[in-house]
Amino acid sequence: MGIHVIKMPDLGEGIAEVEVVAWHVKPGDTVKEDQVLADVMTDKATVEIPSPVNGVVTALGGKLGEAMAVGAELIRLEVEGAGNYSGDKNGNTTAARRQTEPAVSAQAATVDEFPPITVAQPETVVTTVTSEETAAPAHAAAPPASKPPAPSYTQSGGHGASPAHHGRAAGEKPLAAPAVRQRAWDMGIELQYVTGSGPAGRITHADLDAYVARGQKKAAEGDRRYAVLEGEQAMPVIGMRRKIAEKMQETKRRIPHFTYVEEIDVTELEALRVQLNARYAGQRPKLTLLPLIMRAVVLAIRKYPSVNARFDDDANIVTTYNPVHLGIAAQTDAGLMVPVVRNAEARDPWSAAAEVARLAEAARSGKALREELSGSTITITSLGALGGIVTTPVINRPEVAIVGVNRIIDKPVILDGAMVARKIMNLSSSFDHRVIDGMVAAEFIQTIRGYLECPATLFVE
């Protein structure tokens, strides 16, 4: 038996270190070739690290949320044969076999070569890495054998999950016999909050008694809604949530936002949407209001091109773009992402609808490509039916404008001297006040309003 050391691959683009955001194995687990071992995150993507060999996990090279350098030892496996590492199974090494060999090119490296790496749940952009790119890079060769590195290994702790109640791993169900579960139900006790003293943490009747004795009050007879709870959860802010937090903090710190809200009468727009869907049912993609709003934004940018820009505030350069690459903010299980509809100016509403649907599905499934999640020049954000009356959207830095769509409500409106019900929607849009003056922002939104309230103009050039 030998030891196979898997190193942190070089993910390209000059990335020096990555963050471990999930472990899918723990010491003692048997893994197969191509099985995903861990998820790591760069500043632009979350990447799955697969195993290049069959083996048994002996040690993990980092903790959840820890930053690891490219070339650092990620995980150790006990394998059949000699492996690729000279040292004992506990990590007490003399020298790595590769450390005593001359550096070789990535194309020639074979010992630590990975199978193709696939992308999982990207944050803002996604990457696909080939085996050549993940081989141990020559420039990241280890120090001489006389001074081997001393990595810190995690020999226990499960899948790298955050601490759970009473030592129970995140998502792990409490163990208890049916009779114990029934009694806990009758007492109004959540087993998730009870410490188990039995084998493998199994909860016993005595544990329920101890739980009550610690001051927990029994719920009202037959009613579990008023059970007293205990415990708390400490969730580290890592991975995508950390990246989102950092980006939002940096954006608000560097950009002086101002938000302009306008009320839009979309009664005619909604009627047109319904008619178009009925006319082209089964022939063209179904329209929501979003593709029509996208078209209105594109047309308004022709009159106010300064909002379709990116501001490099380090170099003090504002770049205004002729093409409109529309970012469409989308919520996924992994967090907020912004797929980009490229050259939105060249798309009719049906083409835009199809592209938005495709990008949203790719983002939610973690299959979006890097170029599909970067390079936007202006963003549209919407919470759909939950859009509220007014929002204050945060600009997608380094852009200078974001258009926020709120929900539609029926409101009484005075029209031609009569009170009538109309469908009203607010646009809550934010601008970078260093680049966009208030007058320009107001005129830009009023132009969008004109297109949406007279939707025939969306199709008139």
Side-chain angles (χ1 to χ4, degrees):
M1 303 294 286
I3 296 296
H4 187 98
V5 173
I6 300 173
K7 296 182 179 181
M8 184 67 71
D10 185 350
L11 301 178
E13 297 193 359
I15 294 172
E17 65 178 19
V18 297
E19 177 187 350
V20 179
V21 295
W23 286 110
H24 297 295
V25 295
K26 63 181 182 297
D29 284 356
T30 299
V31 300
K32 296 182 179 180
E33 184 177 353
D34 295 334
Q35 178 178 336
V36 176
L37 304 175
D39 292 347
V40 299
M41 175 172 281
T42 70
D43 60 341
K44 295 182 178 180
T46 300
V47 179
E48 294 179 344
I49 305 296
S51 173
V53 295
N54 299 328
V56 177
V57 179
T58 61
L60 307 181
K63 298 178 181 179
L64 192 69
E66 180 178 339
M68 298 185 66
V70 170
E73 296 181 9
L74 178 67
I75 195 168
R76 292 186 180 186
L77 301 176
E78 185 177 66
V79 297
E80 296 288 343
N84 70 342
Y85 197 77
S86 59
D88 62 31
K89 299 177 182 179
N90 295 321
N92 300 317
T93 68
T94 55
R97 184 173 303 167
R98 291 284 303 277
Q99 291 170 350
T100 62
E101 298 176 351
V104 295
S105 67
Q107 287 76 12
T110 57
V111 176
D112 288 331
E113 197 167 35
F114 287 75
I117 290 179
T118 56
V119 175
Q121 300 299 332
E123 186 259 325
T124 54
V125 295
V126 182
T127 183
T128 300
V129 184
T130 63
S131 59
E132 287 83 3
E133 291 170 328
T134 58
H139 66 268
S146 59
K147 294 183 179 181
S152 173
Y153 288 96
T154 302
Q155 297 288 354
S156 62
H159 293 62
S162 58
H165 297 293
H166 310 289
R168 198 169 290 126
E172 181 181 352
K173 294 182 178 179
L175 299 177
V180 174
R181 292 184 181 277
Q182 183 60 52
R183 184 184 176 205
W185 178 276
D186 294 339
M187 296 172 69
I189 295 176
E190 292 283 353
L191 291 180
Q192 184 64 33
Y193 303 103
V194 179
T195 302
S197 61
R202 184 178 295 274
I203 299 172
T204 66
H205 288 286
D207 295 326
L208 297 182
D209 294 335
Y211 181 87
V212 174
R214 285 197 301 268
Q216 306 305 314
K217 296 181 180 180
K218 188 175 180 179
E221 189 68 22
D223 192 344
R224 303 178 66 252
R225 294 176 298 171
Y226 304 103
V228 177
L229 305 178
E230 69 169 10
E232 59 187 30
Q233 285 183 300
M235 300 294 291
V237 181
I238 63 173
M240 181 171 289
R241 287 259 56 100
R242 176 187 291 177
K243 297 299 181 185
I244 292 174
E246 290 173 350
K247 184 170 184 178
M248 292 298 102
Q249 179 174 308
E250 183 71 1
T251 295
K252 291 295 286 186
R253 183 180 73 83
R254 302 185 72 158
I255 297 178
H257 287 60
F258 78 93
T259 300
Y260 180 84
V261 182
E262 180 57 286
E263 191 175 74
I264 314 290
D265 186 338
V266 294
T267 307
E268 302 302 330
L269 184 69
E270 175 63 11
L272 175 62
R273 183 191 71 84
V274 172
Q275 291 176 16
L276 291 175
N277 282 337
R279 180 173 180 177
Y280 296 107
Q283 303 175 42
R284 299 183 181 183
K286 186 175 182 179
L287 292 178
T288 64
L289 284 186
L290 180 58
L292 300 173
I293 295 172
M294 292 169 63
R295 188 60 186 169
V297 170
V298 165
L299 294 176
I301 285 173
R302 292 181 181 179
K303 298 181 179 180
Y304 300 95
S306 61
V307 302
N308 188 48
R310 295 162 68 95
F311 182 23
D312 183 345
D313 50 5
D314 291 322
N316 275 326
I317 296 176
V318 177
T319 303
T320 303
Y321 294 85
N322 294 326
V324 181
H325 302 317
L326 262 176
I328 306 296
Q331 187 66 37
T332 71
D333 291 340
L336 181 65
M337 299 170 64
V338 186
V340 181
V341 178
R342 296 195 173 276
N343 293 103
E345 75 281 359
R347 296 182 179 274
D348 63 24
W350 293 276
S351 173
E355 182 66 356
V356 167
R358 185 190 70 80
L359 289 170
E361 176 58 30
R364 294 189 182 101
S365 63
K367 298 179 180 179
L369 303 177
R370 179 182 300 275
E371 56 269 21
E372 294 173 333
L373 292 166
S374 61
S376 55
T377 55
I378 187 172
T379 294
I380 295 178
T381 181
S382 170
L383 291 175
L386 301 176
I389 299 174
V390 173
T391 54
T392 55
V394 178
I395 296 169
N396 186 24
R397 184 174 178 266
E399 297 165 26
V400 300
I402 183 170
V403 177
V405 181
N406 297 116
R407 64 186 173 93
I408 299 173
I409 60 174
D410 289 329
K411 290 181 63 176
V413 175
I414 303 298
L415 187 64
D416 296 330
M419 182 176 292
V420 296
R422 304 289 288 181
K423 294 186 179 300
I424 304 298
M425 177 189 75
N426 285 351
L427 287 184
S428 301
S429 304
S430 295
F431 301 86
D432 186 337
H433 217 330
R434 299 171 301 176
V435 178
I436 305 298
D437 293 333
M439 179 66 73
V440 174
E443 290 176 345
F444 172 66
I445 296 301
Q446 291 299 331
T447 301
I448 294 176
R449 176 187 179 185
Y451 284 119
L452 296 181
E453 292 190 344
C454 186
T457 57
L458 295 173
F459 302 92
V460 176
E461 296 295 335

